């Protein structure tokens, strides 16, 4: 036994999450496309509600975020008693791991899955188990083949960050059907609003019909409220009860609740954001391919672009070139994709700047 003051052993196995860079060289007018933030900002109604929340800052917020759960329930046609809000969906993912994993329990996520899952599993004392992907896409059979007696949770981002790929709902249903009943399935729908494919669903009906499926959602992406930290989960009442027991009693701030309500009620703003992304996701993918880059087909608000494994056309060379031009994108080493960069869809002007820069990069490297 150590005589030193030490944390649980698994805590020191965690590599801290490294967020996207937020500045380039000094004094540059920076184009930040490294964290999948919306280029269109939050709903003006949400911003107004946030500004008005100032005179109530001395009060504790409603601990149950009742107004926000009511607004979410209305928009999605859900029962608000089956919802719990969190300080970002990151908090909820961590609470799920904390509540359901005992020491030695295993939790599965996929090869290039969102890194927060591994952190949440280790922080809870669980054992992370990685299921291989096929074509940078989650694969149900590969996940099922990793299931053991100790498996307690499966985390899937659908669509996934950083690959932008998704599992059709039929496959998600098959996964649920073939998983043992004692295994919880977490469907992280952080980018669900962006997906326009017909065979995609975020999982509302599956959650409603199950007592071991949890859907998590966020206001950080399409709703443009990343800084306010708002997420929510939809699950059966028994799971919601568990998460309510361990969350902070005031885990959402008052301004977050107020702005969140106005954001989710502003359907016109949401539709503008969906339309903008649909147009520019296609434009970016096509233009990147025309320059000669391989792009993983994405249904989200970012693209994964592949580069040569070494030399003047490598991902690190491209990243350096873009940074020098004041364009910040995301390196993918931490996701096991060292030869790829993830680029968030920006404003029209920003997207054109990225394409122009990458054209110059490519021409400079081959000439
Ligand atoms: C951005 C993101 C989230 C959202 O995290 P918040 O804590 O809600 O900001 C969750 N899951 C995935 C896959 C993401 O990319």
């Amino acid at each position: 036994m150590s005589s030193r003051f030490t944390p649980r052993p698994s805590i020191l196995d965690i590599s801290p999450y490294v967020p996207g860079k937020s500045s380039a060289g000094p004094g540059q007018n920076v184009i930040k496309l490294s964290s999948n933030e919306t280029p269109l900002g939050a709903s003006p109604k949400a911003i107004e509600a946030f500004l008005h929340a100032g005179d109530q800052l001395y009060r504790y917020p409603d601990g149950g975020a009742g107004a926000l759960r009511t607004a979410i329930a209305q928009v999605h046609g859900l029962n608000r008693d089956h919802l719990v809000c969190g300080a970002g969906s990151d908090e909820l993912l961590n609470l799920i791991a904390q509540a359901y994993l005992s020491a030695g329990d295993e939790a599965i996520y996929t090869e290039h899955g969102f890194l927060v899952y591994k952190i949440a599993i280790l922080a809870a004392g669980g054992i992370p188990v990685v299921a291989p992907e096929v074509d940078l896409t989650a694969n149900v059979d590969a996940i099922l083949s990793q299931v053991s007696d100790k498996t307690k949770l499966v985390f899937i981002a659908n669509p996934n960050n950083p690959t932008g790929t998704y599992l059709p709902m039929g496959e998600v249903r098959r996964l649920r059907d073939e998983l043992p009943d004692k295994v919880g399935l977490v469907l992280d729908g952080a980018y669900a609003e962006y997906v326009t494919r017909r065979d995609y669903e975020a999982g509302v009906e599956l959650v409603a019909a199950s007592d071991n499926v949890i859907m998590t959602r966020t206001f950080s992406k399409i709703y443009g409220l990343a800084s306010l930290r708002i997420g929510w989960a939809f699950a059966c009442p028994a799971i919601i009860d568990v998460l309510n027991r361990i969350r902070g009693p005031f885990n959402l701030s008052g301004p977050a609740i107020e702005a969140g309500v106005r954001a989710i009620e502003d359907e016109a703003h949401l539709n503008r954001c969906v339309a903008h992304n649909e147009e520019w996701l296609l434009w970016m993918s096509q233009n990147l391919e025309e320059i000669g880059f391989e792009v993983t087909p994405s249904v989200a608000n970012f693209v994964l672009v592949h580069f040569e494994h070494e030399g003047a056309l490598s991902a690190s060379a491209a990243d350096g070139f873009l940074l020098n031009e004041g364009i910040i994108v995301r390196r993918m080493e931490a996701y096991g994709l060292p030869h790829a960069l993830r680029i968030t869809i920006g404003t029209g002007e920003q997207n054109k700047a990225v394409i122009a820069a990458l054209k110059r990069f490519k021409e400079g490297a081959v000439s």
Side-chain angles (χ1 to χ4, degrees):
M1 272 271 127
S2 169
S3 58
R4 288 165 54 229
F5 182 57
T6 53
R8 283 203 315 271
S10 62
I11 303 294
L12 298 176
D13 293 337
I14 298 174
S15 319
Y17 184 85
V18 181
K21 284 190 285 276
S22 55
S23 64
Q28 291 223 49
N29 187 10
V30 155
I31 297 179
K32 180 176 184 283
L33 301 174
S34 56
S35 300
N36 297 344
E37 295 150 344
T38 173
L40 302 184
S43 156
K45 294 173 185 169
I47 295 170
E48 189 189 316
F50 172 78
L51 293 172
H52 273 107
D55 58 357
Q56 296 294 315
L57 287 182
Y58 69 98
R59 288 196 190 278
Y60 276 98
D62 167 13
L68 183 54
R69 284 188 298 117
T70 300
I72 295 167
Q74 235 154 31
V75 166
H76 289 274
L78 307 173
N79 179 338
R80 75 169 212 166
D81 297 335
H82 300 193
L83 305 177
V84 60
C85 292
S89 45
D90 283 354
E91 181 189 28
L92 296 165
L93 296 167
N94 276 285
L95 291 177
I96 291 164
Q98 234 184 78
Y100 288 95
L101 295 179
S102 302
D105 282 347
E106 295 175 356
I108 299 172
Y109 59 94
T110 66
E111 193 177 352
H112 306 293
F114 188 43
L115 275 178
V116 165
Y117 309 145
K118 183 180 183 185
I119 296 174
I121 294 161
L122 284 170
I127 300 171
V129 174
V130 178
E133 296 181 359
V134 176
D135 292 336
L136 298 178
T137 308
N139 181 274
V140 168
D141 295 310
I143 294 168
L144 290 170
S145 72
Q146 296 299 318
V147 171
S148 78
D149 288 349
K150 293 182 188 156
T151 307
K152 199 69 198 288
L153 284 172
V154 175
F155 288 94
I156 291 187
N158 199 30
N160 183 51
N161 169 21
T163 54
T165 56
Y166 75 107
L167 272 184
M169 200 55 206
E171 282 297 281
V172 177
R173 275 207 199 87
R174 182 166 78 84
L175 174 61
R176 176 60 277 164
D177 287 347
E178 296 189 20
L179 278 173
D181 289 342
K182 67 166 183 102
V183 175
L185 175 61
V186 181
L187 298 174
D188 176 349
Y191 303 93
E193 296 85 358
Y194 284 111
V195 188
T196 54
R197 300 296 176 90
R198 283 190 175 190
D199 59 354
Y200 175 81
E201 285 172 42
V204 168
E205 284 177 21
L206 187 61
V207 170
S210 315
D211 55 13
N212 50 8
V213 182
I214 308 170
M215 176 182 76
T216 61
R217 302 286 285 266
T218 184
F219 281 64
S220 299
K221 302 287 157 56
I222 206 161
Y223 289 107
L225 294 174
S227 180
L228 274 186
R229 316 301 308 127
I230 311 172
W232 54 282
F234 171 52
C236 70
I239 295 174
I240 297 301
D241 173 64
V242 164
L243 299 178
N244 272 324
R245 284 168 197 257
I246 59 169
R247 69 175 171 84
F250 303 102
N251 58 338
L252 258 75
S253 70
I257 295 169
E258 300 288 329
V261 168
R262 303 306 299 273
I264 201 160
E265 286 174 352
D266 192 346
E267 201 186 337
H269 185 74
L270 177 75
N271 291 339
R272 274 194 295 277
C273 295
V274 174
H276 175 90
N277 194 67
E278 217 184 344
E279 176 186 348
W280 288 101
L281 174 64
L282 182 68
W283 188 89
M284 280 295 276
S285 307
Q286 286 177 344
N287 276 274
L288 286 162
E289 282 171 355
E290 269 167 36
I291 309 172
F293 294 110
E294 188 198 332
V295 182
T296 300
S298 171
V299 296
N301 69 333
F302 53 84
V303 283
L304 188 69
V305 189
H306 302 272
F307 293 83
E308 291 187 5
H309 287 201
E310 53 194 25
L313 280 169
S314 67
S316 73
D319 182 49
F321 185 93
L322 291 172
L323 260 187
N324 202 39
E325 307 245 330
I327 298 171
I328 306 175
V329 300
R330 188 65 159 264
R331 295 285 288 266
M332 289 282 111
E333 278 87 351
Y335 283 94
L337 297 164
H339 310 303
L341 296 175
R342 192 193 66 197
I343 307 177
T344 305
I345 303 301
T347 62
E349 202 180 321
Q350 292 173 335
N351 300 331
K352 288 175 185 166
V354 170
I355 293 299
L358 282 174
K359 261 187 195 153
R360 284 196 298 277
F361 166 69
K362 188 120 192 186
E363 284 158 11
V366 284
S367 62

